[in-house]
Amino acid sequence: MPDTTTERAALIEGAPAPGVKKTDPIVVADGVQRTFGGVHAVDVDHVEIPRGAITALIGPNGAGKTTFFNLLTGFDKPNHGSWSFDGKPIGGVPAYKVARRGMIRTFQLTKALSMLSVMENMRLGAQEQPGENIARALVPALWRGREQQITERAQDLLARFKLDTKADDFAASLSGGQRKLLEMARALMSDPTMIMLDEPMAGVNPALTQSLLHHILDLKATGMTVLFVEHDMHVVREIADWVIVMAEGRIVAEGYPDQVMSDQAVIDAYLGSHHDTDLGDLSEEQQAELLDETQAEVEREEERNDG
Amino acid sequence: MRHDTTRRRSGPAALLTVIATAAFALILAFAGAAPANAASSPSPSPSSSAAQSIQVWIRKASDRSDVPGVKVTVSQGSFSQTVTSGDDGKALVPVPAAGTYKVDLDASSVPEGAGTVPTGLNPRQVVVSAGNQGVPAYYILVAPGGGATPTPGASGGASSGAGGGGSGADSGASLFDLIAPRIVTGLIFGLLLALASIGVSLIYGTTGLNNFAHGELVTFGALMGYVFSAVLGLPGVVAIIAATVLGGVFGYVQDLGLWRPLRRRGVALVPLMIVSIGLSLALRYLFQFIFGADQLVLPADNRAAFILGPVRLRSTDIISAVICIVLLLLVAFVLLRTRIGKATRAVSDNRSLAAASGIDVERVIRTVWVGAGSLAGLAGVLIGYYQSLRWDTGASILLLIFAAVTLGGFGTAFGALVGSLVIGVITDVSTVFIPNNLKYVAALVVLIAILLVRPQGILGKASRIG
Amino acid sequence: MDFSFLLLALGQIISPQTIAYALAALGLAVQFGFTGLLNFGQAGFMAIGGYAFAITTLHLGFPFWLAVLATLVATTVMALVLGIPTLRLRADYLAIVTIAAAEIVRYVVKTPDLIPLTGGSDGLNGAAVTFDALNPIPPGSYGFGPLRYDENDLWIILVGWIFVILVALLVRQLMKSPWGRVIKGIREDEDAVRSLGKNVFSYKMQSLILGGALGGLATIINIIPTSLQPDNYGTQTTFFLLTIILLGGATTVFGPLVGAIVFWIVLSLADGFLSLAVQYHWLPITTIQQGPVRFIIVGVALMLIVIFRPSGLIGKKREAFFA
Ligand SMILES: Nc1ncnc2c1ncn2[C@@H]1O[C@H](COP(=O)(O)OP(=O)(O)O)[C@@H](O)[C@H]1O
Ligand SMILES: [Mg+2]
């Protein structure tokens, strides 16, 4: 892939280092801090996400990746800090407005709306449906047309994600991996400028992983910016153009996928939590461990949601 | 630890025993015979040949002493009868049929200096159902200027029975004179609330359940206290211990028979909460079915035993407060120092992590139910002494309990304590500024206001997303 | 032996009380069943709406339509006051704040100091004048057996049922629209819906306002044939409504209507049967003990429905509110 290399080389200005300037950043964050009871969950001095590229955000569990996602997308409020998206500051902008501006995120713990059908899930992802206004909702003539367009787009996407046969099933009946796919497809309904995927591969069976990777590469091909959190270094190496490494809330390293794996700071970061992790491939045991951690988190999350 | 059956069984029992013993020791030490002089004010269950009757009872707000010689007229249509209160401040008026009667106290017959009936409470309508004996028409006379008057015979709600009205003894009392006694009674009430709130908080923390039936655990304790003291005529000490122990048993049985099976079925939290609402309705009206709709009175000495400036307390108030403080300290000790307490906090903090680290979560939850049940039972019987009790005593303070727990931050036992004290003081002190019957409103308004500023409660922590 | 109670129970199908509970329950279903909002203070919305209607009618001489508007304004204000602080918080905060607010309303209207305005514990009587004045039905006595209605009873029953059905159709239309999709999405997972660019807070508020308004309007139907009694709007009323929607199916539009009818028929039958039982000494209970029994029935029924049939009578099993 010769052009990938040149394309990648053009991402940054200067040498790879934490906080390095990008030639064409889509997200620029400065001094973003979030503490939980004294613990710095996120403490990012400066980071830029390159436009039109696939950036991987990696780091051991508890590094603050999800919290950073939450902050950027308006789901959580920082103690201080500012950041911009597409040139406009979006610090303090509520989550739904961030999404409308074209920055859509998915969740580490899938949030398929289980009592809605797969198709309804998809339709919900669309923007500019006048029928979502309570007054216009009463007059179907005002929204039928748009609904038709939305449905067609949803069918397209579902077909691409091989979920078209499930369109009328409740989302609850999907497997864990299919839900991940659904969530990603749903996020694409609004044609976002940037999509942020929090551990899109977690819990997805290996057969599906490969097709997910292709979808992500396809997104980039259509000009979308992708930022994703991932544990599996093979995956990162395979699709990421740029890698940002977090540990204990900070950005400890940035670089091209091949380089960053050998960065001493990265090794240290991982050694802090997973002692004998060969970054190239996690042993099955470790994968199981990570899975367990995710599972435990899922359970906690569900408990909270039920409350 | 998973195989250590003796430990498993001993947990709840140990806690229960400790609590019961502490209560026992305390009462022996402080009470002497205080609540034991039973017969002095019997519960209003008079016998009469008429099928129905109205019990008139006139007391002073300041020291709860009975007021004799007051004329009261009970009338309905052509029926009219005037009676005069006896030495015990009471008069029983047999009425011919079920219906709504007008009860009118003749203000001119009230002895000089005994006070007046607050406006709005006289004359009043009393509803008598067929066969109802001793339907209460209780009057509490307030000295001019006195504010804190419980609505007599109308609700099982908290009232600053501990001489709250005493403040108004001389007109032109300073604001301090008005507020000081209410802070004291409010703190005592707050302590009583805390006993119940901690259980709510622990149950929420360990199981996620917002228990709407917790008020019934409180009422259960109060009624058990009534059964043992007023019905069986046993000393107050026995009644208090019985209420505590049986409250624990009730909590245990509830968990075993209802909540644990539902947890096993994986019933989610919202439906669980609704089940607790159903249970609350069913139990509350079962209590009414068994004990009737009237106020019940625990035999106690209602004279002021402790007077410091404007503050007047009965011996029962002081004993209650001391029992509360000791038990709360004990709970704190259990939570902070014992194995089961640490396990409880671990489960509250993070259930899956606790389970993964080998804690027997079910055992912890069982223990929490027993502990919550006994604390609520104790709270109930003490509230019975503090004011009066009824089939819905617990339900009427349920919202205050929730307010306390929410204020303190869900799931934190110490938050519940702080919240309870705040709520207790607010309810009582508010009566200086707003009508007495709106005092719960003050507490609930404060709850809403605090949530605006600090949604996670005073001591709570924020929840996480993603 | 008097079996007229069987007919009377049948009369519950069309009684204004049933209509009122159906409407208030429908409001609660919008909030709770469809949006997932734990409004445990629907009785408070009912009270506020009822007092707004009665006070503007009796003290300000408002014509009927204006008094109805006052009800809508009052319930909307209440929804805003309660919603703004709590709708951003965890779901159970709303439950506790709304139940507290409903009690606040009840305590306040009962305050002796407000007797000139609210009638205190006795409530308000006579708010039906403006409605009855619109009655086109000729005076007379209609019906058969123990089920007899005068022209005003008939008038409220007719208008009430037509109104409830219209509202139900309207709500159904809403729930089938993209608006309803967002609402149901919020019930499932509000963060997911937020991440898709929907203003979740605004939708929840709309749902709270809509449901509350239906509660307020329900009280108008409830008090027209009788009077406005503050104690009819205590927490147990909310719990009755909760039972009704769960009975019928919390995530359906017609469930609350079916639930309300079944609920009042069952209670009425139970009351009638118990009266007979007391009269003929079939059961060792007294007349006074008869009162609490209906509440015990409701409580136990509520538990059983939630545990064994969470989708209600007409709800589809898979669409049970509780997964
Ligand atoms: N709501 C919260 N309350 C307290 N601590 C939190 C909360 N959310 C995250 N944390 C803490 O912040 C740190 C970062 O967590 P997270 O962002 O989930 O990490 P990652 O996604 O990298 O695994 C962890 O130590 C976690 O325990
Ligand atoms: Mg994460």
Side-chain angles (χ1 to χ4, degrees):
Chain A
M1 293 185 279
D3 52 331
T4 316
T5 329
T6 42
E7 182 198 307
R8 284 184 180 176
L11 282 177
I12 56 167
E13 296 173 353
V20 64
K21 283 216 174 330
K22 308 295 182 308
T23 32
D24 183 14
I26 188 165
V27 172
V28 180
D30 275 296
V32 180
Q33 250 193 34
R34 175 68 163 114
T35 55
F36 291 108
V39 179
H40 289 285
V42 167
D43 185 3
V44 170
D45 283 338
H46 182 86
V47 74
E48 299 183 2
I49 314 286
R51 185 190 306 273
I54 299 178
T55 306
L57 180 60
I58 67 169
N61 248 297
K65 306 177 297 287
T66 299
T67 308
F68 192 49
F69 263 41
N70 289 344
L71 292 171
L72 289 184
T73 51
F75 277 84
D76 194 3
K77 297 216 168 11
N79 300 67
H80 41 81
S82 62
W83 60 97
S84 66
F85 172 64
D86 228 357
K88 291 181 208 99
I90 55 163
V93 174
Y96 77 95
K97 282 193 181 154
V98 172
R100 284 187 193 172
R101 291 193 188 184
M103 185 197 242
I104 301 260
R105 58 92 54 99
T106 65
F107 295 87
Q108 179 172 356
L109 314 158
T110 33
K111 291 186 182 294
L113 306 167
S114 28
M115 291 297 155
L116 299 186
S117 72
V118 169
M119 182 48 99
E120 289 286 78
N121 262 279
M122 292 296 286
R123 288 181 180 136
L124 201 54
Q127 304 285 328
E128 281 154 31
Q129 165 54 281
E132 288 179 1
N133 172 292
I134 187 166
R136 277 176 234 150
L138 292 170
V139 190
L142 295 177
W143 49 264
R144 280 265 162 76
R146 175 72 182 136
E147 191 80 344
Q148 193 56 41
Q149 295 169 352
I150 291 173
T151 308
E152 277 161 23
R153 169 150 179 79
Q155 270 157 353
D156 261 15
L157 276 169
L158 285 179
R160 249 212 279 160
F161 282 80
K162 304 219 164 45
L163 286 171
D164 42 347
T165 53
K166 304 266 180 193
D168 297 324
D169 297 0
F170 279 112
S173 68
L174 300 184
S175 73
Q178 286 173 322
R179 284 187 215 189
K180 283 265 178 203
L181 285 175
L182 172 60
E183 198 180 351
M184 200 163 135
R186 190 176 66 192
L188 295 175
M189 279 297 289
S190 62
D191 269 324
T193 334
M194 173 170 176
I195 185 161
M196 298 171 55
L197 308 167
D198 199 348
E199 306 204 12
M201 283 12 130
V204 178
N205 77 41
L208 272 178
T209 309
Q210 215 48 41
S211 80
L212 250 171
L213 291 186
H214 284 292
H215 290 311
I216 295 177
L217 285 171
D218 285 350
L219 296 180
K220 179 181 147 189
T222 65
M224 213 177 279
T225 305
V226 180
L227 175 66
F228 76 112
V229 174
E230 186 47 56
H231 280 293
D232 185 339
M233 293 305 150
H234 288 305
V235 169
V236 171
R237 210 174 258 156
E238 204 171 326
I239 63 166
D241 301 309
W242 190 252
V243 180
I244 299 175
V245 188
M246 277 183 90
E248 290 167 3
R250 298 170 177 280
I251 308 263
V252 293
E254 279 194 59
Y256 299 108
D258 303 320
Q259 304 167 344
V260 85
M261 310 285 171
S262 50
D263 189 314
Q264 191 55 44
V266 180
I267 295 167
D268 288 347
Y270 273 88
L271 283 181
S273 69
H274 296 285
H275 281 274
D276 39 12
T277 306
D278 166 6
L279 291 181
D281 65 353
L282 291 168
S283 69
E284 266 177 39
E285 209 170 76
Q286 285 155 344
Q287 284 184 3
E289 187 182 311
L290 285 172
L291 203 69
D292 280 350
E293 281 172 23
T294 317
Q295 205 70 43
E297 219 171 310
V298 170
E299 276 165 23
R300 259 178 284 149
E301 189 62 26
E302 279 171 356
E303 278 160 26
R304 257 194 300 281
N305 288 343
D306 291 340
Chain B
M1 184 150 130
R2 209 164 287 168
H3 302 286
D4 186 356
T5 44
T6 40
R7 174 166 292 283
R8 191 186 301 181
R9 236 180 274 128
S10 68
L15 185 70
L16 191 65
T17 323
V18 176
I19 289 174
T21 324
F24 188 76
L26 247 160
I27 296 156
L28 284 189
F30 290 90
N37 43 5
S40 68
S41 63
S43 63
S45 51
S47 57
S48 155
S49 54
Q52 294 81 220
S53 63
I54 293 176
Q55 173 77 62
V56 178
W57 187 8
I58 297 141
R59 281 178 294 167
K60 276 195 246 180
S62 48
D63 54 2
R64 300 274 143 157
S65 61
D66 304 316
V67 183
V70 180
K71 288 204 179 84
V72 176
T73 306
V74 175
S75 59
Q76 181 208 39
S78 59
F79 171 81
S80 174
Q81 188 176 353
T82 303
V83 291
T84 307
S85 61
D87 282 345
D88 58 356
K90 292 182 186 165
L92 187 69
V93 188
V95 293
T100 303
Y101 288 82
K102 187 173 125 185
V103 180
D104 194 355
L105 183 147
D106 179 0
S108 63
S109 67
V110 176
E112 195 71 23
T116 55
V117 182
T119 41
L121 296 174
N122 185 53
R124 75 175 69 147
Q125 309 286 328
V126 173
V127 180
V128 180
S129 309
N132 265 7
Q133 291 287 0
V135 179
Y138 298 169
Y139 287 88
I140 306 249
L141 305 179
V142 230
T149 320
T151 314
S155 85
S159 56
S160 40
S167 55
D170 39 4
S171 50
S174 72
L175 196 61
F176 172 78
D177 285 349
L178 284 174
I179 291 182
R182 288 175 173 82
I183 290 182
V184 175
T185 55
L187 281 174
I188 296 180
F189 184 52
L191 287 170
L192 295 174
L193 273 184
L195 287 184
S197 304
I198 284 179
V200 169
S201 184
L202 287 177
I203 290 174
Y204 179 84
T206 49
T207 69
L209 169 70
N210 273 314
N211 185 17
F212 275 75
H214 211 80
E216 280 56 49
L217 283 173
V218 173
T219 314
F220 179 79
L223 290 172
M224 288 306 112
Y226 174 77
V227 167
F228 278 83
S229 64
V231 179
L232 300 179
L234 296 168
V237 190
V238 178
I240 291 176
I241 294 173
T244 311
V245 172
L246 291 174
V249 172
F250 192 37
Y252 178 77
V253 169
Q254 257 193 43
D255 185 49
L256 193 74
L258 181 65
W259 302 114
R260 195 163 72 121
L262 291 183
R263 278 198 299 278
R264 287 241 170 113
R265 283 172 74 124
V267 177
L269 293 176
V270 170
L272 273 190
M273 176 156 87
I274 298 175
V275 169
S276 82
I277 288 174
L279 181 66
S280 157
L281 269 182
L283 283 178
R284 196 184 327 158
Y285 285 92
L286 186 67
F287 294 150
Q288 189 192 19
F289 185 86
I290 298 169
F291 290 90
D294 301 336
Q295 299 272 3
L296 306 169
V297 178
L298 291 175
D301 182 358
N302 283 327
R303 280 166 309 189
F306 173 84
I307 301 175
L308 181 75
V311 181
R312 291 153 173 270
L313 296 173
R314 299 169 302 176
S315 51
T316 46
D317 300 328
I318 299 168
I319 296 162
S320 295
V322 172
I323 296 178
C324 286
I325 291 171
V326 170
L327 268 188
L328 291 170
L329 288 175
L330 190 78
V331 170
F333 176 81
V334 170
L335 282 176
L336 292 175
R337 288 293 152 81
T338 64
R339 216 176 154 132
I340 184 74
K342 285 177 185 164
T344 305
R345 286 189 303 142
V347 173
S348 298
D349 214 40
N350 183 334
R351 195 178 332 167
S352 358
L353 195 64
S357 59
I359 293 175
D360 181 350
V361 175
E362 274 300 318
R363 184 174 76 99
V364 167
I365 293 175
R366 202 157 53 234
T367 313
V368 162
W369 269 102
V370 172
S374 29
L375 288 175
L378 178 63
V381 67
L382 293 184
I383 287 172
Y385 277 117
Y386 185 66
Q387 41 181 54
S388 65
L389 68 105
R390 223 168 72 154
W391 56 283
D392 65 349
T393 292
S396 71
I397 61 162
L398 179 68
L399 278 184
L400 296 185
I401 295 175
F402 276 148
V405 174
T406 314
L407 270 188
F410 275 103
T412 63
F414 300 108
L417 171 61
V418 175
S420 302
L421 293 178
V422 171
I423 291 290
V425 171
I426 288 173
T427 25
D428 274 10
V429 171
S430 71
T431 57
V432 176
F433 308 101
I434 57 174
N436 191 60
N437 53 346
L438 289 185
K439 63 182 181 180
Y440 285 6
V441 172
L444 299 178
V445 167
V446 167
L447 165 69
I448 296 177
I450 291 192
L451 283 183
L452 267 174
V453 199
R454 201 177 153 75
Q456 69 273 42
I458 300 172
L459 297 183
K461 52 183 183 192
S463 65
R464 59 191 289 189
I465 314 150
Chain C
M1 208 175 288
D2 187 5
F3 281 109
S4 64
F5 75 89
L6 292 176
L7 259 181
L8 285 175
L10 219 56
Q12 290 295 327
I13 296 177
I14 57 164
S15 86
Q17 176 172 256
T18 304
I19 306 173
Y21 271 74
L23 192 57
L26 183 55
L28 187 59
V30 168
Q31 296 163 336
F32 179 62
F34 287 102
T35 324
L37 298 178
L38 294 173
N39 172 16
F40 282 5
Q42 182 69 339
F45 283 95
M46 293 181 77
I48 282 276
Y51 275 95
F53 180 82
I55 288 174
T56 53
T57 302
L58 295 172
H59 295 307
L60 303 177
F62 275 24
F64 180 70
W65 295 112
L66 214 52
V68 170
L69 193 68
T71 295
L72 296 178
V73 170
T75 53
T76 305
V77 169
M78 176 151 168
L80 290 171
V81 168
L82 296 186
I84 289 172
T86 53
L87 286 182
R88 291 177 211 276
L89 306 181
R90 226 175 40 206
D92 36 7
Y93 281 94
L94 181 68
I96 286 168
V97 167
T98 46
I99 200 173
E103 284 297 275
I104 291 178
V105 170
R106 197 168 59 93
Y107 280 121
V108 169
V109 296
K110 282 174 71 175
T111 307
D113 302 288
L114 288 179
I115 285 178
L117 190 66
T118 62
S121 304
D122 294 339
L124 291 168
N125 214 334
V129 279
T130 54
F131 180 76
D132 290 345
L134 303 171
N135 190 356
I137 303 171
S141 176
Y142 304 85
F144 59 91
L147 296 178
R148 297 221 68 87
Y149 305 97
D150 72 13
E151 70 281 4
N152 286 335
D153 295 337
L154 217 53
W155 177 223
I156 182 66
I157 289 172
L158 261 177
V159 173
W161 265 120
I162 291 173
F163 182 68
V164 167
I165 302 230
L166 284 180
V167 168
L169 291 173
L170 190 107
V171 170
R172 191 173 69 149
Q173 178 58 44
L174 273 180
M175 290 309 164
K176 281 162 73 176
S177 76
W179 185 85
R181 184 162 66 218
V182 179
I183 285 291
K184 289 183 232 168
I186 291 172
R187 173 187 74 202
E188 301 292 316
D189 190 327
E190 60 174 86
D191 278 335
V193 175
R194 197 172 280 130
S195 78
L196 298 172
K198 319 294 176 203
N199 185 350
V200 168
F201 177 76
S202 163
Y203 281 95
K204 285 186 180 178
M205 189 58 97
Q206 293 170 30
S207 166
L208 193 63
I209 291 174
L210 176 61
L214 297 186
L217 295 173
T219 312
I220 300 181
I221 298 175
N222 206 20
I223 64 176
I224 277 180
T226 55
S227 69
L228 179 54
Q229 296 285 341
D231 285 329
N232 284 348
Y233 304 94
T235 46
Q236 83 278 2
T237 306
T238 301
F239 297 157
F240 279 14
L241 294 172
L242 206 54
T243 310
I244 285 173
I245 61 169
L246 289 167
L247 184 64
T251 58
T252 64
V253 170
F254 290 96
L257 311 198
V258 174
I261 292 173
V262 173
F263 180 86
W264 286 112
I265 290 185
V266 169
L267 276 199
S268 180
L269 283 178
D271 281 351
F273 173 77
L274 280 171
S275 293
L276 282 186
V278 171
Q279 195 180 342
Y280 294 94
H281 305 289
W282 296 339
L283 294 173
I285 61 173
T286 65
T287 321
I288 325 168
Q289 287 179 318
Q290 211 185 306
V293 171
R294 62 154 54 186
F295 292 94
I296 299 176
I297 294 175
V298 173
V300 172
L302 185 54
M303 292 166 72
L304 294 180
I305 297 167
V306 173
I307 298 172
F308 295 108
R309 179 130 188 121
S311 53
L313 292 175
I314 69 172
K316 280 175 246 146
K317 189 128 206 163
R318 310 174 62 180
E319 275 189 286
F321 178 46
F322 319 118

